[in-house]
Amino acid sequence: MEIDGIGPAAREAMGDQAGVLSAAVAESIPLAMFAFFDNCPAATLIQGLAVLIVAIFFATSSDSASLVVVMLCTVSADPGRKS
């Protein structure tokens, strides 16, 4: 029993498409996100935003990792620029 009733409504809205999404997940988990977005309005815009968000995530993760490496390799308490 589902409390909010969204599950049955989503299954009804998907209709025959539900099998396509589960097949995409079975085929490739990273690409399943784009298969899911294909069922949304403005799918191209949402897919573009998803790529941008993932790219920003990797850039900030790389920057954080670089900061940690600098902090581990320096003996100074402040790993910033040296004047």
Side-chain angles (χ1 to χ4, degrees):
M1 180 176 145
E2 296 178 30
I3 296 172
D4 57 8
I6 293 174
R11 283 191 294 276
E12 184 178 326
M14 289 288 290
D16 296 333
Q17 297 284 330
V20 174
L21 186 58
S22 60
V25 171
E27 183 179 325
S28 172
I29 292 176
L31 296 179
M33 177 177 70
F34 295 103
F36 173 73
F37 289 152
D38 282 339
N39 297 312
C40 297
T44 305
L45 176 67
I46 294 172
Q47 289 173 348
L49 286 173
V51 169
L52 180 66
I53 289 170
V54 169
I56 290 171
F57 170 76
F58 281 123
T60 56
S61 296
S62 173
D63 185 50
S64 297
S66 298
L67 180 63
V68 169
V69 169
V70 166
M71 290 175 70
L72 290 173
C73 292
T74 187
V75 293
S76 168
D78 183 21
R81 286 190 207 171
K82 296 184 180 184
S83 301

